[in-house]
């Protein structure tokens, strides 16, 4: 009679340790890529928000220049705050005095975690302030991120 030996099937301890080491190495490589992907997503949100608000500011100014919004003497032709773009302004050329709306809502700065209104998350630049030293004033000429971080392209978010 011949006896057949049954060999136990499965992994040895060494094989399990090697497999776990390879898995840990792959995970340590994947984590930085996930961080970069998350930062890239936030940067895309920032670009979109900046473009949306800046386009609305330009449209408001264009409406003032066209006489659709009453211009106050000595005023730059830009809104006094971002909420005006959401609340709308009366169209001077409309017989029914309908409102002109420029934004549905003010987007939040994705790089500046703040509580409260989305408008407070942005840095505001008035028409009278310089580009090198932006500060708020009687109107809103431009917005910028208040984050001190630097983007993936090497440019600080404040300068976007």
């Amino acid at each position: 009679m011949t006896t057949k030996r049954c060999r136990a099937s499965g992994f040895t301890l060494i094989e399990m340790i090697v497999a776990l080491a390879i898995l840990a190495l792959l995970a340590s490589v994947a984590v930085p890529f996930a961080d970069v992907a998350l930062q890239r997503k936030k940067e895309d949100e920032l670009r979109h928000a900046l473009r949306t608000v800046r386009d609305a500011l330009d449209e408001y100014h264009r409406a003032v220049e066209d006489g659709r919004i009453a211009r106050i003497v000595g005023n730059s032709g830009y809104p006094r705050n971002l909420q005006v773009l959401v609340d709308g302004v009366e169209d001077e050329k409309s017989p029914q005095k309908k409102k002109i709306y420029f934004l549905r809502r003010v987007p939040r700065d994705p790089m500046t975690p703040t509580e409260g209104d989305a408008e407070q998350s942005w840095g505001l630049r008035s028409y009278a302030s310089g580009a090198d030293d932006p500060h708020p004033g009687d109107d809103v000429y431009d917005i910028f991120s208040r984050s001190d971080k630097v983007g993936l392209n090497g440019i600080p978010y404040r300068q976007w």
Side-chain angles (χ1 to χ4, degrees):
M1 227 173 157
T2 18
T3 54
K4 291 187 179 178
R5 264 191 199 184
C6 283
R7 184 169 177 201
S9 62
F11 295 108
T12 65
L13 181 61
I14 299 295
E15 290 172 332
M16 290 293 284
I17 290 173
V18 168
L20 287 175
I22 292 171
L23 191 61
L25 180 68
L26 290 174
S28 68
V29 169
V31 168
F33 285 122
D35 290 343
V36 169
L38 179 63
Q39 185 176 359
R40 186 169 287 133
K41 180 183 176 200
K42 282 185 158 187
E43 286 184 1
D44 286 342
E45 290 175 17
L46 176 63
R47 270 190 211 95
H48 184 267
L50 286 169
R51 187 177 310 117
T52 299
V53 175
R54 287 173 175 164
D55 286 346
L57 289 168
D58 290 342
E59 285 295 321
Y60 183 96
H61 185 68
R62 208 169 293 123
V64 169
E65 295 295 317
D66 292 343
R68 295 183 70 197
I69 299 174
R71 184 174 197 156
I72 300 169
V73 176
N75 193 335
S76 66
Y78 288 95
R80 63 186 177 280
N81 57 45
L82 294 178
Q83 192 60 41
V84 170
L85 301 172
V86 176
D87 295 341
V89 284
E90 194 174 278
D91 187 352
E92 295 294 320
K93 291 188 174 182
S94 171
Q96 294 87 13
K97 299 294 182 191
K98 291 185 178 181
K99 282 191 168 187
I100 307 170
Y101 298 96
F102 301 95
L103 287 175
R104 289 185 182 182
R105 64 177 179 79
V106 176
R108 182 175 297 283
D109 179 1
M111 299 300 175
T112 308
T114 58
E115 297 293 325
D117 293 339
E119 184 175 355
Q120 295 172 355
S121 67
W122 295 103
L124 304 177
R125 175 183 169 206
S126 71
Y127 185 74
S129 72
D132 295 336
D133 182 30
H135 57 274
D138 295 334
D139 57 10
V140 179
Y141 173 69
D142 194 15
I143 63 169
F144 59 91
S145 177
R146 293 184 353 198
S147 174
D148 294 330
K149 296 179 183 174
V150 176
L152 292 173
N153 59 2
I155 300 172
Y157 295 129
R158 292 178 64 91
Q159 296 176 7
W160 283 29

